Amino acid sequence: MMYLGLQSSFWQLSQRAHKVFRVIFHEAQYRVIGKDEVYLSWETAQDVFESEGIKMSRATYFRGVAELVEKRIIAESVRTGIFFLNPALIFNGNRATFIQQIITDDKEVLKEAQQITAKRALEAHRELSGKKLKNIGESIKIAKRD
């Protein structure tokens, strides 16, 4: 999933960075579903380029990776070949699960989420109760007419 924040950056990327981005999409689609990191190697890129009929040299590939890092679309990790996807721009996985993990990790956010949920549940209950009372009133009016 790409967010609008990436749109302006995406169109400013060079052709080499666009090609490397295709490798990232390929990996995100087939290998790293639900994760925030991707393994980028020249060997993997060669396979993707070959399957899609793209020509690119090794040096150009690494310049494309460097450009994506510079533009903050991906970030290097301390492990060789592993790059983090910028979650503000690209998300790979179930967003609800991701948000739930953030909520459960932060006790203040968890408390606030519980309060919001309780408030919405109470409002829904009141609305439903109001509709039931209105329906009962309508049925009494109809019964009196008959």
Side-chain angles (χ1 to χ4, degrees):
M1 192 179 303
M2 282 178 38
Y3 297 112
L4 291 176
L6 177 61
Q7 187 177 15
S8 62
S9 299
F10 184 76
W11 297 116
Q12 295 172 11
L13 294 174
S14 67
Q15 188 175 12
R16 67 179 173 251
H18 276 261
K19 290 177 181 179
V20 174
F21 212 80
R22 290 176 76 160
V23 175
I24 292 171
F25 278 137
H26 181 272
E27 291 300 293
Q29 183 177 4
Y30 295 109
R31 295 203 176 119
V32 293
I33 297 170
K35 296 183 181 175
D36 63 348
E37 60 186 36
V38 63
Y39 176 68
L40 295 177
S41 70
W42 169 241
E43 292 75 22
T44 302
Q46 276 184 307
D47 292 341
V48 172
F49 294 152
E50 187 176 305
S51 70
E52 295 187 15
I54 297 171
K55 295 186 187 253
M56 180 180 268
S57 72
R58 180 182 172 109
T60 304
Y61 164 77
F62 285 108
R63 284 195 300 271
V65 170
E67 182 178 340
L68 292 176
V69 169
E70 178 186 318
K71 301 276 184 168
R72 298 181 190 267
I73 294 172
I74 59 175
E76 289 183 86
S77 78
V78 294
R79 296 177 293 166
T80 304
I82 302 293
F83 293 85
F84 292 103
L85 302 173
N86 183 340
L89 304 176
I90 308 166
F91 187 75
N92 181 28
N94 184 333
R95 191 165 179 94
T97 302
F98 180 69
I99 297 301
Q100 185 63 37
Q101 185 63 41
I102 291 171
I103 289 172
T104 55
D105 287 349
D106 187 333
K107 299 301 178 198
E108 286 298 313
V109 175
L110 179 60
K111 183 178 178 181
E112 185 179 341
Q114 289 171 339
Q115 289 172 344
I116 290 169
T117 302
K119 182 180 177 185
R120 287 184 181 165
L122 182 60
E123 289 170 357
H125 177 69
R126 287 179 180 158
E127 184 179 329
L128 183 60
S129 294
K131 287 180 183 177
K132 284 184 180 178
L133 289 173
K134 186 177 179 181
N135 289 341
I136 291 170
E138 294 295 322
S139 64
I140 291 172
K141 287 180 186 177
I142 293 171
K144 284 185 178 180
R145 282 189 235 155
D146 292 339

